[in-house]
Amino acid sequence: MLGCAGSSYDPMLQHPCSSYLLESGVGALLLDCGYGSFDSYQALTPETRLDAIFVSHAHRDHVADLEQFMTTSDIWREAPRLIASEETMAVIVPTPHILPAEMLVLMGDAQQFQLENFILEFSTTTHQMPTLAVCVSFGARRVVYSGDTGSSWVFPPPFVGADVALVECTLGHREHGDSPYHLDAQEMSVLARELAAKRTVITHVPPGESGSLRLESARRHEPDREFLLATTGLTLTFN
Ligand SMILES: [Zn+2]
Ligand SMILES: [Zn+2]
C-alpha cells in the first residue's frame, strides 16, 4: 500500500492518499495514484517496474500524482499505460490526442481488460462523479477495490469471494447531512459481508480520524469476518 488516506491530504501529516500496488510476479499494476503516492513508490518499491495505472475516478486523492508517474520513464517496464473510464480520462487527460493511443485504455462498467496475467473487470459505483471499482484476477487470486462508493453500489458476481477486498470507509458513524457517496463503518461492514472476501482491508480513512474505531466497529458488526486496517507500507502476500 503506497497510500490509503481518504478525502484530503495534509503534507505535514505525511499520509499519502489512495494507491495500491499489485504485483503478480509477472506484472505490476497500480490502483490509483493519489497525493503522495509517487514519493511512497520511490521510498517503498523503487525496484518495481509498472505495466499500467488504473484510475478509479478523477478526485485528487486518487489521481494527483498521475503526471509524475506517467512522465518518469524508468519506472515503466515498457510504455506507460493508463486505464480509466471515458469520463475520468476526459478530466485527467484533457488533451488525449497528444499521447500515443495505445497509452490510454478506456474501460466502462462490466467491461474486461487483460494485462500480462491480470484480468480486470470494472463496475460503476455510486459516487459524486463517475467512478469505477475493479476486480483484478491473477492466476487463482483475486483482489477487489471499491474505489469511492456509497452504499447503493451494486457489484457483479465476479466481485464476490475475492482473496482481498480493499473497501473504503470514509465516515466513522453516519450523521445527518453526511455524504451518501461514501460509506460509514456499518455500511462498510455490510458491503464486506456481501463481497465475502477472505480479508477485508478498511481504507480511505481521512487523516486525523480514527481507523481503529472503524476497525472495532467492523469487527463488532461482522465478528466472523477478517478485517485489517490499511496503512502506508502494508504488504499483503498471497500464497
Ligand atoms: Zn477519495
Ligand atoms: Zn472520490
Side-chain angles (χ1 to χ4, degrees):
M1 285 172 201
L2 302 185
C4 55
S7 296
S8 63
Y9 178 63
D10 181 348
M12 301 304 288
L13 293 171
Q14 291 291 306
H15 288 304
C17 291
S18 299
S19 191
Y20 311 94
L21 178 65
L22 278 179
E23 292 185 88
S24 68
V26 177
L29 170 67
L30 191 60
L31 309 178
D32 281 338
C33 50
Y35 288 111
S37 58
F38 189 77
D39 286 349
S40 278
Y41 165 82
Q42 291 194 308
L44 297 170
T45 57
E47 306 299 319
T48 298
R49 294 295 166 263
L50 299 176
D51 292 288
I53 298 177
F54 161 70
V55 172
S56 63
H57 66 299
H59 278 152
R60 300 292 288 169
D61 57 324
H62 298 257
V63 74
D65 285 6
L66 181 66
E67 191 174 343
Q68 266 181 300
F69 278 103
M70 295 300 282
T71 57
T72 307
S73 57
D74 63 356
I75 64 168
W76 294 90
R77 213 148 60 88
E78 293 174 13
R81 199 151 26 169
L82 176 60
I83 305 167
S85 70
E86 199 169 353
E87 296 91 339
T88 299
M89 208 71 92
V91 178
I92 63 178
V93 187
T95 50
H97 60 275
I98 63 170
L99 297 172
E102 62 272 17
M103 193 182 276
L104 306 179
V105 180
L106 292 178
M107 284 286 129
D109 187 59
Q111 287 191 290
Q112 276 196 1
F113 180 66
Q114 181 154 11
L115 170 87
E116 304 303 332
N117 67 337
F118 296 115
I119 297 170
L120 293 77
E121 179 164 348
F122 306 93
S123 171
T124 300
T125 71
T126 49
H127 196 44
Q128 284 113 322
M129 61 166 67
T131 299
L132 289 176
V134 65
C135 173
V136 185
S137 310
F138 45 108
R141 301 301 175 200
R142 239 175 333 136
V143 172
V144 163
Y145 171 44
S146 72
D148 285 1
T149 188
S151 59
S152 55
W153 173 37
V154 179
F155 52 84
F159 279 58
V160 177
D163 294 271
V164 169
L166 301 159
V167 182
E168 78 124 280
C169 188
T170 308
L171 306 168
H173 179 69
R174 178 173 297 285
E175 288 173 18
H176 183 70
D178 277 341
S179 168
Y181 302 116
H182 286 295
L183 302 175
D184 77 356
Q186 184 174 357
E187 294 161 343
M188 184 276 303
S189 306
V190 170
L191 179 58
R193 182 177 70 224
E194 292 170 346
L195 284 171
K198 292 193 184 92
R199 289 183 283 182
T200 301
V201 180
I202 299 169
T203 191
H204 204 268
V205 176
E209 295 195 25
S210 171
S212 50
L213 283 179
R214 287 159 171 75
L215 183 62
E216 275 172 35
S217 174
R219 286 174 175 160
R220 208 167 47 244
H221 285 107
E222 290 292 317
D224 298 329
R225 197 147 289 291
E226 186 180 342
F227 289 98
L228 295 131
L229 189 59
T231 51
T232 298
L234 178 67
T235 302
L236 302 178
T237 53
F238 304 84
N239 298 312

